[in-house]
Amino acid sequence: MKKRKFLLLVLTLGLFLVGCASEDKLESRKEFLMDTIVELDLYGSGNKKAMDQVYDELFDIEKKLSKTISKSDIFILNRDKKARVQDETYYILEKSKDYSRRSKGIFEPTIGGLVSLWDIKADHSNRGLPDPKEIERLLANLDYEKIELGADNMVEIASEQSLDLGAVVKGYAADRARDILLENQVKSAIIDLGGNIYALGSKPSGEAWRIGIKDPAEKEDFLGILSVKDKSVVTSGDYERYFEYESKRYHHIIDPRTGYPADNDLRSVTIVSDSSMDGDAYSTIAFILGLEEGLEFVQSMEDIEAIFVTKDAKVYITQGLRDKFELKAQGYKLMDS
Ligand code: AMP
Ligand code: MG
């Protein structure tokens, strides 16, 4: 009896040690930041330092770019309309203006006033919808060309404007996390910023990562599974943040042509790309543009793949994803585009 117990202990220890020595060792950490749950899973050994370095950077990015943290560059700019910002903030504003130009103003970083007016998180049962006159007034102030990026990191916006970089910050942060992991020789990791995912390298076994794409109708956990290596996978959808009022859904992505949440044939757009910041900007843009124009926009760019889900349960995938996407949820029809 005693002998058997000893054998069992040795076997258990043996398994444990094999587990430790293998490439599968997992360093995992979860935090609430950037208004979402951020989770990092790093495979391989000795990754504690890399993990700490990534989280230091993520908290730092939030401190510079959050609209609500006082002392952040964006908070100060929105309050004073003129400020000297840090290099990273300046770079993100430059990139944002570029996304705006490419999308002919659909991507609109001066959308801050309208985002606050819609206040998606508030209880709307008593207060109702925003006053259309107020929407009109704020619409007139939208203009990314009025973000002046001057010498020595001086930035100025028009007196009635307010910035919101929520459509690209998580993507930018995912790219920074990837860069830091690569500098630390981490070869296999999942960076998940509230569904804004970067799949670094491959699984420790060498196989592709299998990323679950959420079912926008929320009937099943997953719409399907995407197999990728070294790719960013970012989704924008009407199911992420929204309120319902008189049986209609009002979500967080504002169409700068109307001042109302984008209302077209789409439920969600997923972008697969190398740069997560690009993926984040393009998913927001394509979601506002709708199926036809959104697909055209995405297909006009090299090395960008996409999954569009329509309100009538059709799933359009671009050429490059044909052998990488498996539809899982019932009731959807897969379409080629
Ligand atoms: P995403 O979830 O990446 O599609 O980004 C949505 C977030 O971007 C919103 O919560 C707002 O903070 C911001 N936003 C909303 N509408 C726009 C727009 N038209 N252009 C740029 N940012 C927007
Ligand atoms: Mg986005």
Side-chain angles (χ1 to χ4, degrees):
M1 187 66 185
K2 239 183 179 174
K3 215 175 187 180
R4 268 183 57 194
K5 249 191 189 163
F6 177 71
L7 192 67
L8 200 66
L9 187 68
V10 170
L11 277 176
T12 321
L13 261 178
L15 278 178
F16 179 67
L17 290 175
V18 169
C20 279
S22 92
E23 280 293 290
D24 292 12
K25 191 179 172 219
L26 177 66
E27 181 86 31
S28 189
R29 186 170 152 192
K30 216 188 242 189
E31 299 279 354
F32 188 83
L33 76 147
M34 298 182 188
D35 211 18
T36 194
I37 295 165
V38 172
E39 184 166 8
L40 263 82
D41 289 339
L42 316 185
Y43 294 81
S45 46
N47 289 332
K48 167 92 175 62
K49 192 183 115 226
M51 180 73 92
D52 291 346
Q53 235 174 294
V54 171
Y55 270 104
D56 284 351
E57 174 73 7
L58 296 182
F59 280 110
D60 194 51
I61 292 171
E62 186 182 32
K63 253 196 247 157
K64 287 175 187 162
L65 300 168
S66 158
K67 244 181 17 171
T68 48
I69 296 180
S70 60
K71 294 195 187 137
S72 86
D73 282 346
I74 299 302
F75 182 93
I76 293 170
L77 254 175
N78 285 344
R79 187 191 60 197
D80 301 346
K81 313 299 173 192
K82 189 175 180 178
R84 190 182 307 281
V85 300
Q86 297 166 82
D87 291 346
E88 215 165 18
T89 310
Y90 195 89
Y91 168 77
I92 290 166
L93 287 169
E94 272 181 324
K95 288 282 289 183
S96 293
K97 282 184 77 170
D98 192 39
Y99 294 131
S100 298
R101 288 195 186 108
R102 276 197 238 176
S103 64
K104 302 192 173 73
I106 293 295
F107 183 88
E108 182 47 87
T110 65
I111 202 90
L114 277 163
V115 172
S116 304
L117 180 70
W118 278 98
D119 199 3
I120 293 298
K121 281 191 198 160
D123 177 6
H124 287 258
S125 49
N126 290 326
R127 73 152 87 170
L129 299 179
D131 177 359
K133 282 203 194 91
E134 190 56 7
I135 292 179
E136 279 302 315
R137 190 184 69 79
L138 291 169
L139 265 182
N141 297 331
L142 298 183
D143 186 359
Y144 60 91
E145 290 292 6
K146 288 196 182 140
I147 306 171
E148 278 180 40
L149 301 175
D152 300 324
N153 287 5
M154 277 308 290
V155 179
E156 200 170 342
I157 57 175
S159 60
E160 22 349 275
Q161 286 187 324
S162 169
L163 297 173
D164 183 321
L165 301 176
V168 284
V169 167
K170 290 194 198 85
Y172 172 77
D175 286 339
R176 286 294 301 132
R178 173 207 53 206
D179 293 347
I180 292 170
L181 292 180
L182 288 175
E183 281 161 25
N184 282 275
Q185 280 79 46
V186 177
K187 294 186 179 66
S188 176
I190 293 289
I191 302 160
D192 181 354
L193 289 94
N196 191 320
I197 290 172
Y198 195 94
L200 178 73
S202 55
K203 281 193 205 170
S205 64
E207 291 166 289
W209 291 110
R210 287 166 60 77
I211 308 292
I213 307 295
K214 268 202 183 147
D215 173 10
E218 292 176 313
K219 289 197 184 114
E220 297 188 40
D221 278 352
F222 295 119
L223 170 79
I225 307 287
L226 197 57
S227 296
V228 288
K229 289 182 181 179
D230 265 326
K231 288 286 175 197
S232 156
V233 180
V234 179
T235 303
S236 287
D238 69 359
Y239 61 91
E240 295 173 299
R241 290 159 199 242
Y242 66 89
F243 67 85
E244 266 165 9
Y245 184 72
E246 294 180 345
S247 320
K248 195 168 157 51
R249 181 176 292 198
Y250 296 89
H251 57 80
H252 67 310
I253 304 172
I254 311 290
D255 187 333
R257 297 167 297 193
T258 63
Y260 284 76
D263 189 7
N264 54 40
D265 43 6
L266 293 177
R267 297 291 324 258
S268 72
V269 176
T270 299
I271 301 286
V272 181
S273 55
D274 292 327
S275 150
S276 199
M277 190 179 188
D278 285 353
D280 201 355
Y282 298 161
S283 64
T284 307
I285 293 165
F287 180 77
I288 298 172
L289 285 174
L291 178 66
E292 204 180 316
E293 277 185 71
L295 265 173
E296 226 170 85
F297 178 80
V298 167
Q299 285 168 333
S300 72
M301 273 167 307
E302 262 175 51
D303 300 326
I304 303 288
E305 304 293 341
I307 303 169
F308 285 67
V309 185
T310 63
K311 284 180 180 154
D312 62 355
K314 294 197 178 96
V315 181
Y316 291 78
I317 58 168
T318 53
Q319 292 248 339
L321 295 184
R322 241 167 240 181
D323 56 343
K324 297 192 172 67
F325 180 70
E326 274 170 68
L327 184 65
K328 291 278 187 201
Q330 301 288 317
Y332 286 95
K333 193 166 172 222
L334 200 56
M335 318 286 285
D336 275 340
S337 52

